[in-house]
Amino acid sequence: MRKILIVEDDRLIAELERDYLEANGFAVEIAFDGREGLRLARTEEYALLLLDVMLPGIGGFEICREVRRSKNVPVVMVTARKDDVDKIRGLGLGADDYVVKPFSPSELVARCRAHIQIHERLSNGASAGAERPIELKELKILPLSRRVFVGGREVALARREYELLLFLASNPDIVFSRETLFERVWGEDPLGDAATVTVHVNRIRDKIEKDPSRPEYIETVWGAGYRFTAG
């Protein structure tokens, strides 16, 4: 049974999330403060982390940052703020999704299930077939093992960063709008969320480009979107 960690200091919300997730076949563990949540996230194995942003001890952003240094597990952030500040920050730290309170419990369960399924499908795919790297200049992508190297040095990418880079690199010299990229990589309706793509592109550039302000690999086509330059 897939196990989900909920880190939420509001007991009523945590129990509501737990009840809906358990009713849909998930095992659930709850931490009511950030320090305990981080300890569990580091030491236990979970199919997904459901992190509140505002927590006593250590906040959800810090937990996400620390977990991303050592584990590749889906992370869904939960917050009461409706503006884009938390969303951009959370996605920039490697979160896979973002839910605003008050939320539909059924939608929350559906999002958690979708991210777990995507993660498992990609992980299982890494064990099949022969590795065929994508190479350009100093960049090397190993699709099955999900590893990225720049100049022989391995670069750590969050899951969505890797998926976005792989999609663009697998379709070189084609311009994709932000909306199309969001739909193809995230698999969701892009309405209101296309800015997420920009956040992830900037994060990728920071990690693979010599000069992120003058990118060699992911080119901005003004008014149109982004293109992975193969030439």
Side-chain angles (χ1 to χ4, degrees):
M1 182 179 292
R2 300 175 182 88
K3 185 165 63 172
I4 293 175
L5 174 64
I6 296 172
V7 188
E8 169 64 70
D9 62 322
D10 188 316
R11 188 173 294 272
L12 290 177
I13 292 177
E15 292 176 350
L16 175 66
E17 294 171 344
R18 179 198 62 197
D19 291 346
Y20 270 82
L21 288 167
E22 288 183 343
N24 283 270
F26 295 101
V28 177
E29 193 163 359
I30 300 176
F32 293 104
D33 68 82
R35 295 189 186 280
E36 177 64 7
L38 179 58
R39 184 190 70 80
L40 290 171
R42 280 173 165 170
T43 58
E44 304 292 332
E45 295 299 323
Y46 297 99
L48 181 137
L49 306 182
L50 192 58
L51 306 178
D52 188 30
V53 170
M54 301 298 294
L55 293 165
I58 300 175
F61 290 138
E62 183 64 23
I63 295 174
C64 183
R65 180 188 295 112
E66 291 298 321
V67 168
R68 278 287 173 256
R69 291 176 177 172
S70 59
K71 291 194 173 184
N72 181 23
V73 57
V75 175
V76 176
M77 307 291 296
V78 181
T79 184
R81 293 180 55 170
K82 294 184 179 181
D83 56 32
D84 288 335
V85 175
D86 279 356
K87 182 171 186 177
I88 292 172
R89 185 179 178 191
L91 294 171
L93 291 172
D96 297 283
D97 206 348
Y98 184 95
V99 178
V100 178
K101 302 175 185 177
F103 52 80
S104 162
S106 297
E107 180 184 352
L108 179 69
V109 171
R111 290 192 181 207
C112 290
R113 179 183 289 112
H115 288 296
I116 290 172
Q117 290 174 345
I118 291 170
H119 176 74
E120 291 179 345
R121 184 170 66 249
L122 292 171
S123 298
N124 292 338
S127 61
E131 190 81 283
R132 294 184 180 179
I134 298 173
E135 297 185 73
L136 175 66
K137 300 177 183 177
E138 295 187 354
L139 177 67
K140 182 176 182 179
I141 304 172
L142 303 180
L144 296 182
S145 56
R146 298 175 59 81
R147 302 175 73 184
V148 177
F149 297 84
V150 177
R153 176 180 60 86
E154 186 165 9
V155 176
L157 297 180
R159 182 164 69 92
R160 289 297 190 195
E161 294 168 3
Y162 171 80
E163 291 168 2
L164 179 57
L165 174 61
L166 179 62
F167 178 80
L168 287 168
S170 299
N171 298 277
D173 296 323
I174 299 175
V175 179
F176 294 97
S177 68
R178 294 188 306 169
E179 290 77 13
T180 298
L181 288 170
F182 190 85
E183 186 175 1
R184 297 291 294 274
V185 176
W186 277 258
E188 300 175 19
D189 188 327
L191 182 62
D193 282 308
T196 299
V197 174
T198 300
V199 174
H200 282 71
V201 166
N202 289 336
R203 294 281 295 181
I204 295 169
R205 285 172 172 167
D206 286 340
K207 295 178 180 181
I208 70 170
E209 300 282 1
K210 292 180 180 178
D211 181 359
S213 65
R214 301 177 63 185
E216 298 179 55
Y217 302 110
I218 302 179
E219 177 187 359
T220 299
V221 181
W222 297 108
Y226 298 102
R227 170 174 56 207
F228 186 88
T229 304

